[in-house]
Amino acid sequence: MDDRIRAHAETLVDWSARVDPGDDVVVRVDEGAHDLAVAVAAALGDRGANLLATYGSDEMTRAYLRAHDGDFAPATAERTLYERADVTLSLRGSRNTAATADVPGDVRNAHARARRDVREARLATDWVSTVHPTRSLAQAAGMSYEAYREFVYDAVLRDWASLADEMGRVKTRLDDADEVRIVADGTDLTLSVGGRTAVNSAASVAYDSHNLPSGEVFTAPVTAEGEVTFDVPVTVEGTRVRDATLVLSDGDVVEFAAATGESALADLLATDDGAKRLGELGIGMNRGITRPTDNVLFDEKMAGTVHLALGRAYDACLPDGETGTESAIHVDLITRMGEGSRLLVDGDPIQRDGRFVWEGA
Amino acid sequence: MDDRIRAHAETLVDWSARVDPGDDVVVRVDEGAHDLAVAVAAALGDRGANLLATYGSDEMTRAYLRAHDGDFAPATAERTLYERADVTLSLRGSRNTAATADVPGDVRNAHARARRDVREARLATDWVSTVHPTRSLAQAAGMSYEAYREFVYDAVLRDWASLADEMGRVKTRLDDADEVRIVADGTDLTLSVGGRTAVNSAASVAYDSHNLPSGEVFTAPVTAEGEVTFDVPVTVEGTRVRDATLVLSDGDVVEFAAATGESALADLLATDDGAKRLGELGIGMNRGITRPTDNVLFDEKMAGTVHLALGRAYDACLPDGETGTESAIHVDLITRMGEGSRLLVDGDPIQRDGRFVWEGA
């Protein structure tokens, strides 16, 4: 076995999920994630945990949903499983990212609604989701299989303890701050963040962070003023959006444009009132992620970028009793902090030219 | 998808497991059983059942067990899953029948002991185990993949309702009988079966039959007298045993021999007192199985054969309060009913030359 697969499994079990002896661990294995699943099984055996593997087959899901009339019964047995489980590890690794493309949307939605209690029970365990590099995911990223594997392991196999310390410094600065200003090519945006709490997303349940890789610090802005250009392309509901620009006044998007995909952006902004406001300011700090791969879970963690989400804010960032932006959507848009850029906290630069002031040159 | 895979799935769901709308169905998918799993998912969706797929990976099991110290915690979450489930479908289909060959026996046994309650909960559901033809299983059978697929589907895709009726006739004869006599080349054995109940093993939970394919009628002999030759080879603890002969007196094996594997047979008979007695008389009635494949679950169902098991009797064959042969083992040995053979019930032939008297010539 590739040593990197073994290291990935150990990072997942020890750093991310903090598995203890005797824990009941559910491992969800996607069709293409077998090799990682074998390594995870070894790590769980070594730690003395219990292992139940479930099979996350997109082709089974497609066949099941296409045959079903959409009137779903409660999934009591599966809910009970997660109610009793301590940890859930999702090993994503598709063999075809379009495998469920021909499932009718109404059946898919009815299935999701009927399984809300299963999902809640699963999210109440110490859950972590990770990605095993497959040929299908390499294809989606526009990369060769070998290059994609390098890319994923560079992102996953970090010195997480050290990164968590560094991200803790950024969190402290944001927690204490009233205002963050982002200055870059096509961007001069001021966000008020007073009273909000930042999350140190260090790829571990100990940090309330549930994706491996992670590597970002994020908070929920109260309001925003200025202009921003997103030069990292993103895919919104199947449409590629490039070089989107927003003008915000008193927290609301008042003007917008995009080099491509402008109508998709328009549809997005029209979803509801909250879709025109920002729910998240995130600062990417994973230095293993050096290029976008059209997968927002990686792209938004890229070191030297910041991202802003249109729509819903995360509860973890809000003081008790306060609601942030509420919306049916949460769509991340990403901008590179290139040459000449600055990230200022209460007027004090913490990043210049895409590098934090405490980094060497 | 191959129509036979779809037909297999429908036979499994409808005939074997009798799945109802709203049933919580656990589908255990072996590494090589993906294609059958997709067809089963479609059948379950169509019937309105709930589906949870588990992944029965031998390679995960090996990695887990080899890394574990053998001190296993109770698997509470998994036990609870089966306690709440209505149906369990096991889709066997290995990619390597030797995948767990290097797992230490003591760890394997400790794992099985720690999971006894999981197993009992699973066996308390309406469970059915079936086989998806894989290259690995074809190799174990000494057959090409294509020929093995033909073989498996011939065995699985029967007119089960009609076979269940025919086997019901044999069951009635055995239930009413005092004595069964088997006469064939090298065989003249008389078994007393008075007071015992035969099982019509028709590959359906409705018949208390849990394997697809099945196709045998079996009972538990009280005692046996005479000689028997088993001309279908079987593998006993990894050793091939050919042309075993037993001489029985007052129910005990008093002489034995074998053309090959005689010492394996000797070890088997020395296991305990019950290992020298017969626990089962079975009559193979699956006409889709026309050759042995070194897989006892198929071989013992072959039409025109009978099998006798050394060791433990099945409870279903015994009157309440009566114990049959008790033993740590239950090993089936198979003999062909060829030209000149007869199977007599209370002196009345029900089969001649390997064909039942009610069959056409």
Side-chain angles (χ1 to χ4, degrees):
Chain A
M1 177 180 294
D2 186 324
D3 282 344
R4 297 175 301 182
I5 301 178
R6 189 173 292 116
H8 185 175
E10 289 174 355
T11 301
L12 180 68
V13 166
D14 295 333
W15 172 264
S16 295
R18 312 280 160 126
V19 171
D20 288 317
D23 275 356
D24 273 331
V25 181
V26 178
V27 180
R28 182 180 183 283
V29 184
D30 272 12
E31 286 173 24
H34 174 81
D35 289 354
L36 178 58
V38 172
V40 168
L44 293 175
D46 185 69
R47 303 328 178 249
N50 288 322
L51 161 63
L52 172 65
T54 66
Y55 187 44
S57 163
D58 285 339
E59 291 184 356
M60 285 183 76
T61 298
R62 170 191 179 273
Y64 178 76
L65 292 179
R66 282 175 61 95
H68 205 288
D69 65 9
D71 184 15
F72 293 95
T76 312
E78 189 172 358
R79 192 197 67 218
T80 310
L81 168 67
Y82 286 111
E83 283 172 353
R84 292 300 184 91
D86 300 297
V87 175
T88 308
L89 305 177
S90 289
L91 314 184
R92 305 286 170 175
S94 88
R95 296 196 296 184
N96 172 5
T97 59
T100 60
D102 55 1
V103 174
D106 54 341
V107 176
R108 189 197 303 266
N109 292 340
H111 191 234
R113 278 196 304 276
R115 292 169 55 80
R116 195 172 294 153
D117 58 344
V118 175
R119 186 170 172 277
E120 281 169 9
R122 191 176 66 238
L123 295 182
T125 67
D126 282 338
W127 68 275
V128 182
S129 183
T130 194
V131 172
H132 181 64
T134 63
R135 287 169 179 82
S136 146
L137 293 172
Q139 175 178 322
M143 293 170 77
S144 72
Y145 179 47
E146 276 309 306
Y148 187 67
R149 281 160 48 106
E150 294 285 340
F151 167 79
V152 168
Y153 293 119
D154 281 350
V156 164
L157 302 179
R158 310 306 303 169
D159 179 347
W160 286 105
S162 156
L163 182 55
D165 285 346
E166 185 186 0
M167 294 199 301
R169 293 170 67 170
V170 175
K171 168 181 159 57
T172 302
R173 293 297 296 269
L174 292 181
D175 286 351
D176 295 344
D178 288 320
E179 196 178 276
V180 175
R181 186 172 163 210
I182 308 166
V183 181
D185 230 21
T187 297
D188 190 346
L189 186 71
T190 301
L191 304 137
S192 61
V193 296
R196 299 295 167 92
T197 305
V199 171
N200 176 353
S201 184
S204 169
V205 295
Y207 291 88
D208 204 18
S209 171
H210 298 275
N211 285 280
L212 176 68
S214 189
E216 63 167 318
V217 179
F218 63 87
T219 189
V222 181
T223 185
E225 202 74 37
E227 182 179 10
V228 55
T229 300
F230 301 102
D231 55 356
V232 175
V234 294
T235 299
V236 173
E237 297 280 333
T239 301
R240 204 80 172 133
V241 176
R242 290 175 194 276
D243 293 318
T245 61
L246 304 177
V247 177
L248 289 110
S249 173
D250 205 13
D252 283 318
V253 174
V254 293
E255 286 177 48
F256 67 91
T260 64
E262 187 171 299
S263 71
L265 182 61
D267 290 348
L268 200 68
L269 289 162
T271 309
D272 49 33
D273 286 349
K276 287 185 247 339
R277 297 183 67 85
L278 300 181
E280 181 189 354
L281 157 67
I283 302 171
M285 292 183 64
N286 187 325
R287 294 186 185 91
I289 305 176
T290 53
R291 52 162 289 178
T293 55
D294 196 16
N295 178 343
V296 70
L297 287 179
F298 285 74
D299 294 356
E300 67 172 11
K301 312 300 191 309
M302 187 165 34
T305 67
V306 297
H307 56 279
L308 299 166
L310 291 168
R312 183 171 37 83
Y314 289 114
D315 287 344
C317 303
L318 305 171
D320 276 346
E322 194 169 325
T323 53
T325 305
E326 296 187 272
S327 172
I329 67 159
H330 177 103
V331 174
D332 294 288
L333 301 168
I334 306 165
T335 195
R336 283 179 204 270
M337 300 298 281
E339 204 65 37
S341 73
R342 280 170 300 151
L343 185 62
L344 303 107
V345 175
D346 288 339
D348 187 18
I350 64 165
Q351 193 186 79
R352 281 196 198 91
D353 305 325
R355 299 177 66 82
F356 289 99
V357 292
W358 53 81
E359 291 184 74
Chain B
M1 179 180 293
D2 186 324
D3 282 343
R4 298 174 301 180
I5 301 178
R6 190 173 290 116
H8 185 175
E10 288 173 356
T11 301
L12 180 68
V13 166
D14 294 334
W15 172 263
S16 296
R18 312 281 160 127
V19 171
D20 288 316
D23 274 355
D24 273 331
V25 182
V26 178
V27 180
R28 182 180 182 283
V29 185
D30 272 11
E31 286 173 24
H34 174 80
D35 290 354
L36 177 58
V38 172
V40 168
L44 293 175
D46 185 70
R47 303 325 178 253
N50 288 322
L51 162 63
L52 171 65
T54 66
Y55 188 43
S57 164
D58 285 338
E59 291 184 355
M60 285 183 77
T61 299
R62 170 190 179 273
Y64 177 76
L65 291 179
R66 282 174 61 95
H68 205 288
D69 65 8
D71 184 15
F72 293 95
T76 312
E78 189 172 359
R79 192 198 67 219
T80 309
L81 169 67
Y82 286 111
E83 283 172 353
R84 292 300 184 89
D86 300 297
V87 174
T88 308
L89 305 177
S90 288
L91 315 185
R92 304 286 169 176
S94 88
R95 296 196 296 183
N96 171 5
T97 59
T100 61
D102 55 1
V103 174
D106 54 340
V107 177
R108 188 197 303 265
N109 293 339
H111 190 235
R113 277 196 303 277
R115 292 169 54 79
R116 195 171 295 152
D117 58 344
V118 175
R119 186 170 172 274
E120 281 168 10
R122 190 176 67 239
L123 296 182
T125 67
D126 282 338
W127 67 274
V128 182
S129 182
T130 194
V131 172
H132 181 64
T134 63
R135 288 170 179 81
S136 147
L137 293 172
Q139 175 177 322
M143 295 170 75
S144 72
Y145 180 47
E146 276 308 306
Y148 186 66
R149 281 160 47 106
E150 294 285 341
F151 168 79
V152 168
Y153 294 120
D154 281 349
V156 164
L157 303 179
R158 311 305 304 169
D159 179 347
W160 285 105
S162 156
L163 182 56
D165 285 347
E166 185 186 359
M167 294 199 300
R169 293 170 67 171
V170 175
K171 168 182 160 55
T172 302
R173 293 297 297 267
L174 292 181
D175 286 350
D176 295 345
D178 288 320
E179 196 178 277
V180 175
R181 186 171 163 212
I182 308 166
V183 181
D185 230 21
T187 298
D188 190 347
L189 187 71
T190 301
L191 304 138
S192 62
V193 297
R196 299 296 166 92
T197 305
V199 171
N200 175 353
S201 184
S204 168
V205 295
Y207 291 88
D208 203 18
S209 172
H210 298 275
N211 285 281
L212 176 67
S214 188
E216 64 167 318
V217 179
F218 63 89
T219 189
V222 181
T223 186
E225 201 75 36
E227 183 180 10
V228 55
T229 300
F230 301 101
D231 55 355
V232 175
V234 295
T235 299
V236 173
E237 297 279 336
T239 302
R240 205 80 172 133
V241 176
R242 291 175 194 277
D243 293 318
T245 61
L246 303 177
V247 178
L248 290 109
S249 172
D250 204 13
D252 282 318
V253 174
V254 293
E255 284 177 49
F256 68 90
T260 63
E262 188 173 296
S263 70
L265 183 61
D267 290 348
L268 200 67
L269 290 162
T271 309
D272 50 31
D273 287 349
K276 286 185 251 332
R277 298 183 66 85
L278 301 180
E280 181 189 355
L281 158 68
I283 301 172
M285 294 183 63
N286 187 326
R287 293 187 186 91
I289 305 176
T290 53
R291 54 163 288 178
T293 55
D294 195 16
N295 179 344
V296 70
L297 288 178
F298 285 75
D299 294 356
E300 67 172 11
K301 312 299 192 309
M302 187 164 32
T305 66
V306 296
H307 55 278
L308 300 166
L310 292 169
R312 183 170 38 82
Y314 290 114
D315 287 344
C317 303
L318 304 172
D320 276 345
E322 194 169 324
T323 53
T325 304
E326 298 187 272
S327 172
I329 66 160
H330 178 105
V331 174
D332 294 287
L333 301 167
I334 306 165
T335 195
R336 283 179 204 271
M337 301 298 282
E339 204 64 38
S341 72
R342 280 169 301 151
L343 186 61
L344 302 107
V345 175
D346 288 340
D348 188 17
I350 63 164
Q351 193 187 78
R352 281 195 200 93
D353 305 326
R355 299 178 66 81
F356 289 99
V357 292
W358 53 81
E359 292 185 74

